[in-house]
Amino acid sequence: MPQTRVAVVGSANMDLVAMAPALPRQGETMLGTDFVMVPGGKGANQAVAAVRAGASCAFLGAIGSDAFGVTLKARITAAGVDTSQLRVVYGASGVALVMVNAQGENAIVVTPGANDFLVGLTEEELTTVRAADVLVAQLEIPVQTVTAAAVAAREAGTRFILNAAPARDLPPELLAAVDLLVVNEGEAQTLAGRGREEPRALLDLAPRAVLTLGGEGAWYVDRDGAEVHVPAVRVDVVDSTAAGDAFTAALAVGWGEGRDLVDAVRWASAAGAACVRKLGASVALPQRAEIDELYART
């Protein structure tokens, strides 16, 4: 079977992750238990996750000219991602400050830095999008950039998965190009006004949608009438920071490899479960063998 070609357009951040017994309240200083500094950003995470899940992947993003940018490119490239079109913008790279409690719950503050300057896709970048089997994008970069990539994908017959995070107003031109929408419950509430009680409300936005519910699994719905709940794989949770990125990337790889979408959601759920067993973002993203092992339980 030919290797699935995934293109990811999105953010790259340096994640500064601190673990503590609990998340601090406003004005509170708390002693932590551990600290790691790892590449992150939803775009970079999903690119690395796609490679680990078995695809080839080109990443279209932007990093700063600072030391974080140097480290980001080196780490993403070392993971096997094609970073030949990763832009370098003068100034600061994106940074995410992540706090994780003993239950694996987190609170995150992101400063976009260079990600805000990922605008005006070049012809070479658009060619990369058109050559892919699946395009994946999120909303941590300017929405006009996501729209330009989505339109190019639609014109070329490349399937487009939009992970609409963080949720924001979506222009009609972008929605018209979405093949599969992936959101969590908070994002579903923002975009469609409904959550788990009515996942089909997402079909007002896209022809197919996945609603992720963390430990409660995920719903797959489409305009052909499908409405399927996929239970979560039970594991011990250490850090849920990148679970959604592992899920979205594996979903893209599974769909690109020819799985029907319900089965692709099951495989993606295994990827998310494998991810939460480790601390950190990109360092926790699972290899294909780990995904297959947990998928076998379903």
Side-chain angles (χ1 to χ4, degrees):
M1 179 176 60
Q3 190 176 36
T4 295
R5 298 167 299 173
V6 174
V8 175
V9 56
S11 59
N13 298 321
M14 185 58 76
D15 288 355
L16 309 178
V17 185
M19 290 199 71
L23 299 178
R25 298 183 296 272
Q26 182 176 349
E28 180 182 13
T29 298
M30 179 173 292
L31 288 176
T33 58
D34 201 0
F35 173 79
V36 292
M37 184 176 74
V38 292
K42 297 189 74 63
N45 286 345
Q46 290 174 15
V48 171
V51 169
R52 292 185 180 174
S56 64
C57 183
F59 177 48
L60 307 180
I63 54 176
S65 57
D66 55 1
F68 283 163
V70 174
T71 303
L72 280 168
K73 183 169 184 177
R75 295 277 191 90
I76 298 167
T77 303
V81 177
D82 178 359
T83 57
S84 60
Q85 295 175 65
L86 181 59
R87 301 183 189 183
V88 178
V89 177
Y90 181 77
S93 298
V95 173
L97 305 177
V98 185
M99 296 178 292
V100 183
N101 68 13
Q103 290 72 47
E105 301 166 327
N106 60 60
I108 305 172
V109 175
V110 178
T111 56
N115 296 298
D116 274 348
F117 296 91
L118 183 61
V119 293
L121 292 179
T122 67
E123 187 56 37
E124 184 179 8
E125 289 167 334
L126 293 173
T127 297
T128 297
V129 168
R130 298 182 185 111
D133 298 308
V134 184
L135 168 68
V136 181
Q138 325 76 34
L139 298 174
E140 290 183 337
I141 59 173
V143 70
Q144 63 265 36
T145 303
V146 177
T147 301
V151 170
R154 172 51 58 93
E155 292 171 348
T158 296
R159 283 172 284 187
F160 174 45
I161 297 176
L162 176 63
N163 178 204
R168 63 169 80 177
D169 290 338
L170 302 177
E173 188 179 17
L174 173 57
L175 287 174
V178 174
D179 293 302
L180 176 61
L181 180 68
V182 179
V183 291
N184 64 24
E185 187 167 22
E187 292 149 3
Q189 290 282 1
T190 299
L191 293 171
R194 302 286 182 87
R196 71 185 69 197
E197 76 281 0
E198 186 51 65
R200 296 192 66 82
L202 294 168
L203 299 178
D204 291 338
L205 304 172
R208 306 168 193 85
V210 175
L211 172 62
T212 62
L213 298 170
E216 297 180 43
W219 282 95
Y220 169 73
V221 294
D222 64 33
R223 289 177 182 169
D224 292 328
E227 186 170 344
V228 181
H229 178 253
V230 175
V233 182
R234 297 301 175 190
V235 295
D236 292 330
V237 177
V238 174
D239 181 6
S240 61
T241 301
D245 297 331
F247 178 98
T248 301
L251 181 60
V253 175
W255 195 21
E257 290 179 348
R259 295 175 187 261
D260 69 76
L261 272 169
V262 173
D263 189 50
V265 172
R266 290 195 178 98
W267 198 63
S269 294
C275 183
V276 302
R277 298 184 296 185
K278 302 175 185 176
L279 175 65
S282 59
V283 294
L285 298 168
Q287 300 287 346
R288 189 179 182 101
E290 298 174 82
I291 301 171
D292 287 340
E293 176 193 355
L294 290 182
Y295 171 74
R297 299 185 190 179
T298 69

